Amino acid sequence: MAGPVLEMRSIVKTFPGVKALSDVTLTVRQGEVHAICGENGAGKSTLMKVLSGVHPHGTYEGDILFEGEVVRFKDIRASEQHGIVIIHQELALSPYLSLAENIFLGNEHARGGFIDWRETLRHATELLRRVGLQDHPETRVADIGVGKQQLVEIAKALSKKVKLLILDEPTAALNDEDSDKLLNLILELKNQGITSIIISHKLNEIRKVADSVTIIRDGRSIETLDVKAEETTEDRIISGMVGRDLDHRFPERTPHEAEEGAAPALEIRNWTVHHPIDQQRKVVDDVSISVRRGEIVGIAGLMGAGRTELAMSVFGRTYGRYAGGTVLKDGVEIRTKSVAEAVDHGIAYVTEDRKHYGLNLIDTINRNISLTALKKVAKRGVVDEQAERQVSEGFRKSMNIKAPTVFEPVGKLSGGNQQKVVLSKWIFAGPDVLILDEPTRGIDVGAKYEIYTVIDQLAAQGKAVVFISSELPELLGMCDRIYTMSAGRLTGEVPRSEATQEVLMRQMTKDKAPTDNAKDEEVTR
């Protein structure tokens, strides 16, 4: 077995009022893929920032040994000179520069003070091919997808003669196909002798690529497991992450029984929306769905199926060009031409992109939560700061938002805690209908369970919930009914009692909704 390439010994990192890391120890062997797991806020990213020099030597306690020698990095450039390169969850690429310019930014091929463009393009082409990209090196980053951008980041790391590659949630924003490409590339780099550390909440991905996994909980290293060992199951890893066994990944739920004769809380009829640029293309095509009070209704579909486009276009027509259809609330047609109209009618939308559309990252928990219903904490048009603080403190405790005070900037919170703030602000608005778009994306299993519990409680209070997710197990675990979509069209409706991953996948890959005869035939089979 290869010896250690990296040792981090008794690392302690403190921020004002918070001890983020407490006596953390990590050992990574030469040539392995080493995973780091833990709940949001456990200290995983902080540990990697210590390693990479983002938090420089002198701001933490403990020792770092790389290739057998003690290293003290004063900044990120110092760690890169040793061959340690970190790729953060938020990619550090300039969208308006070319792939080649991004790869060598700060590390340019220059002669006599001038960039050698021929050498730059030649070397960039080699690196792009090495990570599996055929794009021309002069292509702008803005003109390629997120999956390819992640590969460009790895090409950039390879240009720095990387020995230890650190990837922080590398597949969080990727679809399944792009995720597989990235994971296969990590394995290929392993074959080339490059050691990797991967932070991920996706346990199936860890089992695919990792050799070892270190579990961090509440700022402490708990244990390191051999991923290939028979006893290292997903449940075993989860138990280490949350400090207890999770007998159930979802709250116990009794399927909702609709009240006889009651109109749906929300009904969408024959909804059609065209693409905002290509206005001949329908992104939502004649879709009709409904959800009753106390019911959780799922929407399943592959990437590009039109789930988010449906949600955003209904919620204030914030996506695409409306082409037809009606929205009914409790049996009465309503207007939702703007976000304000949708909110006034008791509809809330939790976006899949919390960092860009769901939160003001530079403002506090306090302000983010009150933002959707300022009238509730205002007197004569002026915000009552004491009332605002009482509200946000109440949510901080009830939602278990891990932060020292409600005046903590939201941008400093972990992903799971940010998501709890998003849910809190919409719950404070007092909606009757909540449309949740990928509400657990990028968060760990412990935080997921807490959010599932909140959603279940909202349904028990009589709220109507639309639950959009790419993860079929959570749709199966949470929903009373599940609609399926493909290419903008509704292709099926499956009750909880008949729903399996196979049934949903079959419906998600259909071209169009089945006829009544086809539905009968499906049930008979």
Side-chain angles (χ1 to χ4, degrees), residues 349-368:
Y349 172 57
V350 176
T351 173
E352 66 174 340
D353 189 348
R354 58 179 173 264
K355 291 184 182 293
H356 286 93
Y357 302 118
L359 294 167
N360 182 347
L361 295 177
I362 63 174
D363 215 337
T364 62
I365 297 169
N366 190 49
R367 292 289 173 83
N368 271 276

Side-chain angles (χ1 to χ4, degrees), residues 191-264:
N191 293 334
Q192 297 172 18
I194 294 175
T195 307
S196 297
I197 296 175
I198 178 171
I199 298 174
S200 179
H201 293 123
K202 299 180 180 179
L203 301 186
N204 61 320
E205 294 183 353
I206 288 173
R207 292 189 63 80
K208 177 177 179 178
V209 301
D211 300 293
S212 306
V213 55
T214 293
I215 298 170
I216 297 179
R217 186 172 73 237
D218 297 328
R220 297 178 181 273
S221 48
I222 303 301
E223 59 186 340
T224 296
L225 303 171
D226 179 356
V227 173
K228 308 305 179 186
E230 186 176 338
E231 63 272 15
T232 308
T233 61
E234 288 192 11
D235 287 343
R236 175 70 182 81
I237 296 172
I238 290 169
S239 176
M241 288 169 60
V242 302
R244 64 189 187 280
D245 290 328
L246 277 185
D247 295 327
H248 304 285
R249 300 223 186 154
F250 305 97
E252 291 290 342
R253 176 164 177 76
T254 302
H256 174 77
E257 296 291 338
E259 294 181 23
E260 189 174 347

Side-chain angles (χ1 to χ4, degrees), residues 252-502:
E252 291 290 342
R253 176 164 177 76
T254 302
H256 174 77
E257 296 291 338
E259 294 181 23
E260 189 174 347
L266 178 72
E267 186 175 3
I268 301 166
R269 293 179 181 172
N270 308 114
W271 198 257
T272 301
V273 177
H274 290 177
H275 191 276
I277 298 175
D278 181 3
Q279 296 190 2
Q280 300 301 312
R281 180 159 67 92
K282 294 179 181 179
V283 291
V284 180
D285 188 358
D286 196 32
V287 170
S288 298
I289 67 170
S290 66
V291 54
R292 299 181 181 276
R293 292 184 182 274
E295 191 178 31
I296 301 176
V297 172
I299 301 181
L302 302 175
M303 293 293 290
R307 300 164 302 163
T308 294
E309 291 82 354
L310 171 65
M312 291 182 68
S313 60
V314 168
F315 187 70
R317 301 189 186 174
T318 49
Y319 180 88
R321 185 173 65 85
Y322 168 78
T326 55
V327 178
L328 292 87
K329 173 88 179 301
D330 297 319
V332 178
E333 186 175 343
I334 60 172
R335 288 163 49 99
T336 59
K337 290 185 177 181
S338 68
V339 170
E341 281 187 337
V343 172
D344 287 344
H345 284 297
I347 301 173
Y349 172 57
V350 176
T351 173
E352 66 174 340
D353 189 348
R354 58 179 173 264
K355 291 184 182 293
H356 286 93
Y357 302 118
L359 294 167
N360 182 347
L361 295 177
I362 63 174
D363 215 337
T364 62
I365 297 169
N366 190 49
R367 292 289 173 83
N368 271 276
I369 289 176
S370 65
L371 196 59
T372 55
L374 286 173
K375 291 180 181 178
K376 291 185 177 183
V377 290
K379 294 180 180 178
R380 298 176 182 175
V382 179
V383 172
D384 182 336
E385 294 185 356
Q386 185 175 354
E388 183 182 47
R389 180 175 180 177
Q390 287 177 344
V391 167
S392 55
E393 278 287 0
F395 278 108
R396 184 173 76 93
K397 293 175 182 176
S398 65
M399 298 286 282
N400 192 25
I401 299 170
K402 294 178 181 178
T405 72
V406 294
F407 299 108
E408 188 79 2
V410 169
K412 290 187 175 182
L413 302 181
S414 65
N417 287 304
Q418 287 181 353
Q419 193 68 0
K420 291 175 186 178
V421 174
V422 176
L423 284 169
S424 297
K425 81 171 190 177
W426 284 115
I427 293 170
F428 178 53
D432 300 313
V433 179
L434 287 100
I435 303 173
L436 310 177
D437 195 351
E438 302 284 5
T440 65
R441 171 172 286 174
I443 62 178
D444 63 81
V445 289
K448 279 185 177 184
Y449 188 85
E450 291 180 321
I451 289 174
Y452 294 149
T453 301
V454 170
I455 294 169
D456 199 56
Q457 290 170 348
L458 291 169
Q461 295 167 15
K463 309 291 186 185
V465 179
V466 177
F467 194 123
I468 300 170
S469 177
S470 299
E471 297 186 30
L472 297 185
E474 73 177 5
L475 290 175
L476 295 169
M478 289 295 297
C479 299
D480 301 308
R481 290 183 292 121
I482 302 171
Y483 290 104
T484 55
M485 291 184 66
S486 175
R489 297 178 179 179
L490 200 68
T491 56
E493 177 185 351
V494 185
R496 183 187 184 100
S497 59
E498 299 173 15
T500 65
Q501 292 198 46
E502 291 76 14

